[in-house]
Amino acid sequence: ITGRKEIDDDLYEDLEEALVTADIGVQTAYKLLENTRETVERKDLKDPAALRDVLKGQILEIVKTEAIPMDAGSAKPFVIMVVGVNGVGKTTTIGKIAAKYGQEGKKVVIAAGDTFRAAAIEQLEVWANRAGAEIVKQDAGADPSAVAYDAVQAGVSRGADVVIVDTAGRLHTKANLMEELKKIKRVMSKIVPDAPHETVLVLDATTGQNAINQAKVFNDAIELTGLILTKLDGTSKGGCIVGICDELQVPIRMIGIGEKVDDLRPFNAVEFVDAMFG
Amino acid sequence: SLSERLNGVIKDLKGHGKLSEKNIQDALKEVRMSLLEADVNFRVVKDFLKQVQDRALGAEVMKSLTPGQQFVKIVHEELTELMGGKGQELNLVGKAPVPIMFVGLQGSGKTTSVGKTAVILKKKGRRPFLVPADVYRPAAIDQLKTLAKALHMPVFESAVGMDPVNICKLAREEAERQGCDTMIIDTAGRLSIDEAMMDELVKIKAEMKPSEILFVADAMTGQEAVNVAATFNERVDITGVVLTKMDSDARGGAALSIKAVLGKPIKLVGVGEKMDAMETFHPDRMAGRILD
Ligand SMILES: Nc1nc2c(ncn2[C@@H]2O[C@H](COP(=O)(O)OP(=O)(O)OP(=O)(O)O)[C@@H](O)[C@H]2O)c(=O)[nH]1
Ligand SMILES: Nc1nc2c(ncn2[C@@H]2O[C@H](COP(=O)(O)OP(=O)(O)OP(=O)(O)O)[C@@H](O)[C@H]2O)c(=O)[nH]1
Ligand SMILES: [Mg+2]
Ligand SMILES: [Mg+2]
């Protein structure tokens, strides 16, 4: 794109390729380029760099309004429920968040709500130890709602500042598993009426257009209040989040940029868009 | 679905009789949209459309009484051909224990697929030995041991802090001792751009000389799928692909991209979290799903 000397159809094709290969999706890319073309014609722009700035500005508009961090101070215990499809990074992200709050002097309780997958509880235990957080768990195969209930209960009675509930990965296409999430949510509200205060969907930056289906279905089932985009340290640009922001307007709370405990950052819209065109 | 979209574009021809080149271009645009929405790689789509265009501008469509149907048929045929022949068998040739290695990005489904593959091999009368070579992810070794226990299969007693290459060496000796004819190596998820971790794979391969190096790809992966797979392929020359989470509604365009560019066969398909949820690959079904 930087090599082009004038604004022509080739430039628009290059820009479309850049957007689509960033996983922005062909429909969203089309819409963005149409709006860009309108602005370029209206302002009679001649420089390709100016056009690129208009396009970047458009994407920035969509995602920056959603760059809103979580406010864990707004309730005590502040209850966070973490959901998402299989393997996106829920458990790892919970470890990172718990460590971050621990460093801020907050007392964190973690619920081992994945009672299904092999060694899920053991995995979360390692993270709880790393983060200096307490873990509430039951045997593998236990009812996840029961674990969530116990954890929120423990959070209240032990004066925790934050309770984070891990859930098993699940495909949004499995209705019974989506029902299970609704139940977990309902059960928690029995102890703390506003719990969970945050329902965050974890998305893998390597995901393509299926991310939009995931967000919509999870949102319809349990009303999301936040998104976390993981694995941005890889080669994928995470463009799937743009269409989601545009359609659902759910805040992007944080990003995961690695497998270590401090590989967590607040979502920075400018950096995100720059990286996409980098 | 693509057929519905194409009906919108090609049905207009009924009144006008002969098909024009413009009609074909419009139809190709619909195919392009459909493939990109299915996460097929941008460049792969470009190349694929050229192939379709050549056939679409030929007599079989232009002179057909049902050009729309002919067009869809061609697209489906070309896609099926590109997806490759029906699922190839695992290569189990070699001195026992024959090593099979699973590699891929973080969270793609390797450990789960190792367990499922062990079940398939056992059903074929083989005696697999499971090797947990992921010493990084918390409880990764526990995860494979838990699966092995549930499947009543022998597994190497790896420990965090051991070197993965050494684990594989020792596991081979143990597998021989236990009379196992196959050993399935679970490696840690890693980024294709992580030089040190990619070097580790090269070292494991050099030591073990696996008969199969299977790249595990998540069916919902987007545009980077082929680039990532290509890097893994450059470093260790993968022998096949395992596509996981195909029980989702992901269209799976990543599969087409990887197959089209690398030419490596898709050997197995994961369709669920349980140990019996693994199938052989059907190229025509995959083509239908991508075009849906
Ligand atoms: N490179 C990278 N890897 C990550 C990131 N977040 C998580 N991972 C890795 O992704 C893999 C899956 O992480 P998990 O935390 O187990 O994911 P999960 O969503 O809890 O998985 P399930 O519970 O099985 O659905 C692990 O290997 C993590 O180390 C990230 O930001 N960057
Ligand atoms: N629905 C579904 N889930 C799957 C499938 N294969 C794996 N999973 C799930 O995906 C998640 C990740 O699987 P793992 O086997 O831990 O993935 P991995 O590649 O070993 O992960 P790392 O070792 O962290 O890189 C788990 O929740 C699995 O149960 C599949 O075919 N369908
Ligand atoms: Mg988990
Ligand atoms: Mg694993």
Side-chain angles (χ1 to χ4, degrees):
Chain A
I1 303 167
T2 42
R4 302 252 170 228
K5 299 255 178 327
E6 57 181 32
I7 293 178
D8 57 11
D9 282 345
D10 283 344
L11 177 61
Y12 280 104
E13 257 190 55
D14 285 353
L15 288 171
E16 186 197 31
E17 180 165 357
L19 294 177
V20 171
T21 55
D23 286 318
I24 276 193
V26 61
Q27 306 268 15
T28 305
Y30 182 76
K31 187 172 141 202
L32 289 167
L33 288 172
E34 281 306 291
N35 293 343
T36 299
R37 206 185 278 264
E38 261 182 47
T39 304
V40 164
E41 286 170 5
R42 182 163 37 88
K43 295 190 172 174
D44 197 25
L45 299 175
K46 295 279 182 277
D47 175 14
L51 184 157
R52 190 172 117 146
D53 287 341
V54 169
L55 179 59
K56 281 177 76 171
Q58 290 222 354
I59 301 174
L60 198 58
E61 270 317 296
I62 296 174
V63 296
K64 78 168 194 260
T65 45
E66 306 311 331
I68 312 168
M70 259 185 258
D71 175 16
S74 60
K76 183 170 159 98
F78 184 78
V79 180
I80 306 170
M81 181 177 174
V82 180
V83 303
V85 304
N86 309 72
V88 295
K90 299 177 291 299
T91 305
T92 305
T93 302
I94 288 171
K96 295 173 182 175
I97 295 175
K100 167 171 113 60
Y101 285 138
Q103 284 163 23
E104 293 171 10
K106 292 186 163 63
K107 182 171 163 65
V108 182
V109 168
I110 299 178
D114 180 353
T115 56
F116 171 76
R117 206 209 68 212
I121 299 171
E122 289 86 327
Q123 181 188 7
L124 191 61
E125 272 183 300
V126 173
W127 279 109
N129 288 332
R130 281 181 188 173
E134 294 181 25
I135 188 165
V136 169
K137 59 176 180 159
Q138 293 183 16
D139 290 337
D143 178 358
S145 295
V147 182
Y149 186 91
D150 280 359
V152 177
Q153 186 80 283
V156 171
S157 57
R158 296 176 203 175
D161 297 296
V162 183
V163 175
I164 314 176
V165 180
D166 192 10
T167 62
R170 68 203 63 221
L171 295 181
H172 49 292
T173 46
K174 313 220 160 148
N176 58 324
L177 297 182
M178 299 311 290
E179 284 305 310
E180 181 181 82
L181 282 186
K182 289 183 194 167
K183 180 174 174 214
I184 297 173
K185 199 165 176 166
R186 260 196 322 272
V187 159
M188 287 198 274
S189 66
K190 294 202 169 126
I191 315 173
V192 173
D194 292 342
H197 305 91
E198 174 77 1
T199 303
V200 66
L201 176 70
V202 178
L203 292 165
D204 184 331
T206 67
T207 307
Q209 297 311 294
N210 195 255
I212 311 210
N213 300 20
Q214 294 172 25
K216 283 190 181 151
V217 175
F218 274 88
N219 192 41
D220 285 343
I222 56 171
E223 199 176 339
L224 305 172
T225 59
L227 303 171
I228 292 179
L229 193 58
T230 62
K231 307 182 197 172
L232 273 173
D233 47 319
T235 55
S236 295
K237 302 282 165 89
C240 61
I241 205 105
V242 177
I244 294 174
C245 275
D246 201 26
E247 272 192 66
L248 300 182
Q249 283 126 27
V250 180
I252 309 172
R253 303 301 196 186
M254 302 169 185
I255 60 171
I257 55 161
E259 303 189 71
K260 302 201 291 299
V261 72
D262 35 46
D263 288 332
L264 187 70
R265 297 277 178 285
F267 175 72
N268 180 315
V270 173
E271 284 177 8
F272 176 75
V273 177
D274 281 346
M276 192 171 278
F277 284 81
Chain B
S1 73
L2 181 65
S3 336
E4 289 165 0
R5 296 168 101 147
L6 287 178
N7 285 340
V9 166
I10 299 201
K11 77 166 174 16
D12 307 304
L13 306 177
K14 294 252 171 72
H16 302 251
K18 196 161 172 299
L19 210 56
S20 72
E21 204 172 306
K22 165 99 177 38
N23 297 136
I24 296 297
Q25 293 306 334
D26 288 344
L28 287 170
K29 278 210 188 87
E30 290 299 327
V31 176
R32 179 175 188 269
M33 275 294 224
S34 182
L35 293 177
L36 289 175
E37 284 171 1
D39 294 319
V40 181
N41 178 274
F42 192 91
R43 296 265 162 113
V44 171
V45 173
K46 211 167 179 180
D47 294 342
F48 178 74
L49 288 178
K50 284 208 199 83
Q51 272 173 250
V52 172
Q53 176 171 297
D54 288 345
R55 273 187 74 183
L57 291 175
E60 66 190 308
V61 173
M62 302 304 269
K63 301 239 163 89
S64 167
L65 291 177
T66 53
Q69 282 183 33
Q70 265 313 104
F71 186 85
V72 176
K73 182 163 165 289
I74 287 175
V75 176
H76 192 100
E77 275 178 18
E78 289 293 320
L79 212 62
T80 302
E81 175 140 353
L82 206 49
M83 292 312 303
K86 78 171 190 44
Q88 282 185 30
E89 295 289 332
L90 289 175
N91 175 12
L92 302 172
V93 169
K95 175 171 175 292
V98 175
I100 300 174
M101 188 175 160
F102 281 72
V103 304
L105 293 176
Q106 291 88 346
S108 53
K110 296 175 292 300
T111 306
T112 307
S113 299
V114 165
K116 292 176 183 179
T117 303
V119 169
I120 290 176
L121 292 178
K122 195 168 183 181
K123 286 208 182 102
K124 294 192 184 197
R126 297 189 68 101
R127 204 166 133 55
F129 187 72
L130 302 186
V131 185
D134 177 357
V135 300
Y136 312 98
R137 169 175 153 154
I141 297 171
D142 289 325
Q143 186 183 0
L144 192 59
K145 279 179 157 179
T146 302
L147 292 178
K149 187 153 171 259
L151 296 174
H152 307 291
M153 299 219 193
V155 59
F156 186 71
E157 290 292 326
S158 306
V160 170
M162 285 178 75
D163 164 52
V165 180
N166 203 27
I167 285 176
C168 291
K169 265 196 203 153
L170 296 173
R172 179 171 46 201
E173 293 170 13
E174 185 56 27
E176 284 173 17
R177 251 197 302 278
Q178 294 201 29
C180 292
D181 53 20
T182 331
M183 57 187 287
I184 315 179
I185 305 167
D186 182 24
T187 66
R190 68 203 64 218
L191 296 179
S192 54
I193 50 175
D194 186 332
E195 289 296 333
M197 287 301 273
M198 294 306 285
D199 284 345
E200 176 184 279
L201 285 186
V202 173
K203 289 199 189 96
I204 296 176
K205 173 181 180 175
E207 178 59 42
M208 302 307 294
K209 303 194 174 44
S211 305
E212 286 280 3
I213 299 182
L214 299 173
F215 177 75
V216 178
D218 191 323
M220 62 178 167
T221 312
Q223 293 283 315
E224 275 297 299
V226 65
N227 299 328
V228 169
T231 304
F232 274 83
N233 194 36
E234 280 161 32
R235 298 307 306 275
V236 297
D237 193 12
I238 67 180
T239 58
V241 175
V242 174
L243 250 199
T244 61
K245 307 177 203 172
M246 282 282 280
D247 43 323
S248 69
D249 58 353
R251 303 258 298 275
L256 176 66
S257 309
I258 294 174
K259 181 68 182 52
V261 174
L262 302 190
K264 300 289 162 89
I266 297 174
K267 299 217 169 184
L268 294 165
V269 176
V271 292
E273 297 197 63
K274 303 222 175 82
M275 289 292 106
D276 57 0
M278 185 86 111
E279 298 175 350
T280 45
F281 174 67
H282 296 277
D284 54 338
R285 275 192 224 163
M286 191 73 213
R289 176 182 181 131
I290 290 176
L291 283 180
D292 189 25

